[in-house]
Amino acid sequence: MADQTTNSAQTAEADKGYWAANVRIILVSLVIWAVVSFGFGILLRPALSGISVGGADLGFWFAQQGSILVFLGLIFFYAFRMNKLDREYGVEEE
């Protein structure tokens, strides 16, 4: 009976660690996405107007294409990190 309680407590701690790491990855990804799309594309656009990328200023580029490319990169980053996290906690897919 004591083994079941100990095992249950260890499982609960592992679950808390897994979800804390998962939420941390999600929050970091959302902050990066918000800074790139809202910050660079809207708020910092006047400051980035002097830098040219492909014939357009950098702020316009981030608003039109840069945020999309960063978002796609974040999708691959999230998938990579979650696969690694799943392996660490033994919950990977077969």
Side-chain angles (χ1 to χ4, degrees):
M1 184 77 160
D3 288 339
Q4 288 179 338
T5 305
T6 304
N7 192 17
S8 171
Q10 289 173 346
T11 303
E13 284 298 316
D15 289 347
K16 285 182 185 178
Y18 176 81
W19 284 107
N22 186 2
V23 169
R24 188 172 42 250
I25 292 168
I26 291 171
L27 288 177
V28 167
S29 298
L30 285 174
V31 167
I32 291 170
W33 181 52
V35 166
V36 169
S37 62
F38 188 70
F40 290 166
I42 298 171
L43 297 177
L44 296 175
R45 184 162 183 230
L48 299 173
S49 65
I51 304 169
S52 179
V53 173
D57 64 86
L58 188 59
F60 178 78
W61 185 83
F62 268 114
Q64 296 302 311
Q65 294 194 4
S67 60
I68 295 169
L69 295 176
V70 169
F71 182 67
L72 288 173
L74 285 173
I75 291 171
F76 288 107
F77 166 76
Y78 180 76
F80 171 76
R81 284 293 294 141
M82 284 308 297
N83 285 335
K84 184 177 177 184
L85 189 65
D86 289 349
R87 282 192 304 274
E88 287 176 14
Y89 285 90
V91 293
E92 70 270 13
E93 295 178 7
E94 295 179 8

